Amino acid sequence: MGTAEFTAGLNIAMKIPKAQYDATVAFYRDTLGFEVEEHDAPEAPTVARTHSVRFGPTTLWLDRVDNYSHPDLWLQLHTDDLDAATRKLAEAGVHPCDEVEPLVNTGSRTHWVKNPAGVVHLLAEAR
């Protein structure tokens, strides 16, 4: 059995209610002057629209989620061994919660997990 190592990913997702979405996109694009790009067909069926924002070395994804009542922030983690990482997290009482958002066609092995404060993290195996 391998030993899991974790690194920060280059993606942050901000889940935004429909009523606040357009104003939030305009804030990053028009007010802050960041590069904002709309994308077609998000891979997650819960996301109605998505824009990416160049946020330094990170990509901030602005995801419109029509059934949300307040915004939420999701982070990305990478690991070199998803199985070992899942075991290590389980030893700390953290278990996959893949039901938060089904993923399709990601091209890598992943799990959703939450930190003790309830912040969602996409744990992706990077090889």
Side-chain angles (χ1 to χ4, degrees):
M1 285 195 243
T3 303
E5 298 214 4
F6 299 92
T7 57
L10 295 176
N11 293 291
I12 298 172
M14 186 180 300
K15 306 297 184 169
I16 305 164
K18 182 178 183 178
Q20 300 161 337
Y21 188 77
D22 289 336
T24 302
V25 170
F27 172 77
Y28 287 97
R29 182 189 58 227
D30 304 335
T31 304
L32 298 180
F34 287 172
E35 181 182 328
V36 176
E37 182 180 341
E38 184 164 13
H39 297 269
D40 294 331
E43 293 180 359
T46 57
V47 177
R49 287 179 68 197
T50 191
H51 286 76
S52 64
V53 179
R54 291 301 321 142
F55 204 76
T58 302
T59 299
L60 172 61
W61 292 93
L62 305 176
D63 293 343
R64 191 182 93 194
V65 183
D66 293 346
N67 64 340
Y68 272 38
S69 61
H70 64 277
D72 203 3
L73 197 64
W74 294 15
L75 305 173
Q76 182 182 32
L77 291 172
H78 289 166
T79 184
D80 58 337
D81 185 336
L82 186 64
D83 296 326
T86 302
R87 284 190 301 274
K88 183 174 184 174
L89 290 169
E91 291 170 5
V94 176
H95 301 281
C97 53
D98 294 333
E99 67 279 0
V100 299
E101 184 173 87
L103 289 175
V104 294
N105 303 324
T106 63
S108 65
R109 297 178 58 218
T110 62
H111 281 302
W112 293 109
V113 297
K114 292 181 183 179
N115 73 14
V119 175
V120 175
H121 292 68
L122 175 63
L123 177 61
E125 187 171 67
R127 294 199 176 247

